[in-house]
Amino acid sequence: MVHPLLDSALDILGRLIAFDTRSSESNLPLIEYVRRVLGGYEIESTLVYDATGKKANLYATIGPRDRPGLCLSGHTDVVPATGQPWTVPPFEMTRESDRVLGRGVADMKGYLAVALAMVPRFLDVSRQTPVHLAFSYDEEVGCLGVRGLLSQLAAAPVKPLACIIGEPTSMQVAVAHKGKRAYRCCVTGLAGHSSLTHLGVNAADFAAEFATYLRHTARDLRERGLHDPAFEPPYTTVHTGRISGGIALNVIPDHAEVEFEIRNLPGDDPKVVVDAARAYTEQTLVPEMRAVHAGSAIAWQTLTEYPALADQPAADWLKRLACSAAGNPKTRTVSFGSEGGLFQAIGVPTVVCGPGSIEQAHKADEYVTLAQLAQCLSFMDTLAGRIAAGSLHAA
Ligand SMILES: [Zn+2]
């Protein structure tokens, strides 16, 4: 059965796709469009800009602004399409009989379009309990943008009751994911002729030693660390993804880099791993390097960090609500990250549920089926019904 708001959602989705909101670009044209759509219903939007003023989060409340409501949240940025074998223009919506294609239709402009199409319906029902829209930027580059909005919300007199983030989960309710921390360690040694190894500090050697240390940490976590069968794999992982160093075989490398990441279970504190790795570089490797050359160093750079989303009892009512709206009593975990842990960190119970599959995200010819969009509309219908009945917390 076709949902009465599907055409409206598709019109909006077509508009959203046409804004090139790769994380490297400004998202303001899209944000201005959303602000105009909401303005048409006399709904005010608050914009929280980044330091450059070229990107912004949008926060809007449908209904009374003096009390907490249900927050629908998603990011406006998308990953690049460059170099991918697209058969349709990525920044244009292509409609086929049972699906639409375009960069971001699944991740996650489809959800934003559905939420916007639902605005008139939410307006009708939100006299007592409001619906908040939180649209962020720079999610794809480490959940950076939403932090500005969340620090404002954390200090505001009214925080959302709960949040549903519409990352693509095929409309299944995801209650947890791992956290992530990623670093680049730049090793500075001392160059020299390769025949005089005792006079130089071989940065590549120390980078390799650090990577080996990380491998041992990974093994310890796998063998002796916390295990949670809800995740695949069921333990915290440590992974080195890039090592570089050296310019020629006959030169002692004075520079090398190691990039690594930790993906921690919600119950594991990644800081423990990071602190131990830092102590290893500072107390074991650097002193050995400095014994030869005082200018040696290992400098750490943070690439990404976002917290895990934990399955918490505080979110039980939200899980029940989302599962009943999704028509599926089973919850799951997801392997990808989201802004969920950040919402949770300011005390807002959060789940992840949105149309489309993560399998299609970030790929050429990204698509979402009309059935998924319709299912998301029905999901929001149920939420609207529960808001109207004042029974969000009901079992
Ligand atoms: Zn996403």
Side-chain angles (χ1 to χ4, degrees):
M1 198 192 73
V2 177
H3 192 283
L5 288 174
L6 184 59
D7 280 336
S8 163
L10 287 172
D11 283 348
I12 296 169
L13 182 53
R15 297 293 301 271
L16 296 179
I17 296 304
F19 295 107
D20 174 2
T21 54
R22 283 172 297 159
S23 311
S24 56
E25 306 300 311
S26 168
N27 75 336
L28 292 184
L30 180 149
I31 291 291
E32 282 307 328
Y33 162 74
V34 174
R35 203 223 292 252
R36 277 199 308 278
V37 170
L38 296 174
Y41 299 101
E42 292 177 4
I43 298 162
E44 270 178 57
S45 300
T46 303
L47 304 192
V48 181
Y49 289 89
D50 75 345
T52 69
K54 293 196 175 104
K55 296 177 185 176
N57 301 295
L58 177 144
Y59 190 74
T61 296
I62 307 165
R65 296 165 63 129
D66 61 345
R67 63 195 82 169
L70 187 62
C71 183
L72 307 176
S73 176
H75 59 83
T76 61
D77 59 323
V78 296
V79 296
T82 323
Q84 296 183 329
W86 283 77
T87 62
V88 295
F91 293 101
E92 230 173 77
M93 190 174 78
T94 301
R95 234 183 127 153
E96 292 180 355
S97 59
D98 62 343
R99 59 180 196 169
V100 290
L101 296 87
R103 171 51 84 225
V105 285
D107 185 13
M108 54 184 289
K109 290 175 171 174
Y111 182 78
L112 303 186
V114 166
L116 289 171
M118 285 292 294
V119 166
R121 173 106 171 86
F122 288 139
L123 259 184
D124 281 346
V125 298
S126 58
R127 271 174 250 295
Q128 295 302 322
T129 307
V131 173
H132 314 285
L133 301 178
F135 292 179
S136 68
Y137 64 89
D138 278 359
E139 189 273 351
E140 295 288 6
V141 289
C143 302
L144 299 179
V146 77
R147 292 167 206 246
L149 170 61
L150 290 179
S151 61
Q152 287 202 6
L153 278 183
V158 176
K159 267 188 311 210
L161 271 179
C163 180
I164 300 173
I165 297 180
E167 291 283 351
T169 63
S170 305
M171 291 310 296
Q172 294 170 332
V173 179
V175 295
H177 60 66
K178 289 181 179 177
K180 178 177 168 186
R181 290 196 180 201
Y183 301 92
R184 176 182 300 133
C185 290
C186 297
V187 184
T188 305
L190 180 65
H193 191 281
S194 62
S195 64
L196 302 171
T197 53
H198 61 299
L199 298 181
V201 176
N202 188 323
D205 276 353
F206 284 93
E209 213 163 325
F210 184 50
T212 303
Y213 166 88
L214 293 171
R215 195 166 71 81
H216 290 156
T217 303
R219 189 180 56 203
D220 287 349
L221 287 164
R222 186 175 71 237
E223 290 175 356
R224 283 183 285 279
L226 184 70
H227 275 57
D228 184 340
F231 292 91
E232 167 69 20
Y235 44 83
T236 293
T237 56
V238 179
H239 151 87
T240 298
R242 203 177 71 82
I243 301 184
S244 66
I247 50 165
L249 180 57
N250 59 0
V251 179
I252 299 170
D254 63 352
H255 188 80
E257 290 183 6
V258 177
E259 286 178 13
F260 75 100
E261 64 173 35
I262 303 160
R263 290 183 183 254
N264 64 288
L265 291 173
D268 247 351
D269 184 359
K271 192 171 178 298
V272 175
V273 176
V274 175
D275 287 352
R278 247 182 223 282
Y280 178 74
T281 58
E282 281 162 18
Q283 290 162 24
T284 303
L285 298 181
V286 170
E288 196 185 329
M289 297 163 76
R290 287 198 177 148
V292 177
H293 173 58
S296 302
I298 299 180
W300 285 60
Q301 221 179 312
T302 302
L303 300 176
T304 312
E305 51 182 16
Y306 60 77
L309 175 67
D311 184 359
Q312 289 179 344
D316 282 352
W317 68 270
L318 174 65
K319 284 189 274 176
R320 286 195 302 273
L321 171 70
C323 283
S324 101
N328 178 352
K330 271 188 70 169
T331 60
R332 55 176 283 197
T333 65
V334 284
S335 54
F336 57 89
S338 80
E339 295 164 338
L342 293 164
F343 276 89
Q344 200 167 50
I346 65 157
V348 178
T350 299
V351 296
V352 180
C353 183
S357 164
I358 198 70
E359 298 281 319
Q360 273 84 54
H362 298 201
K363 283 192 190 158
D365 291 351
E366 178 176 347
Y367 70 85
V368 66
T369 63
L370 301 186
Q372 278 285 301
L373 293 173
Q375 202 184 327
C376 189
L377 284 161
S378 306
F379 175 87
M380 295 211 186
D381 274 339
T382 304
L383 299 180
R386 294 281 286 269
I387 288 169
S391 63
L392 276 183
H393 287 79

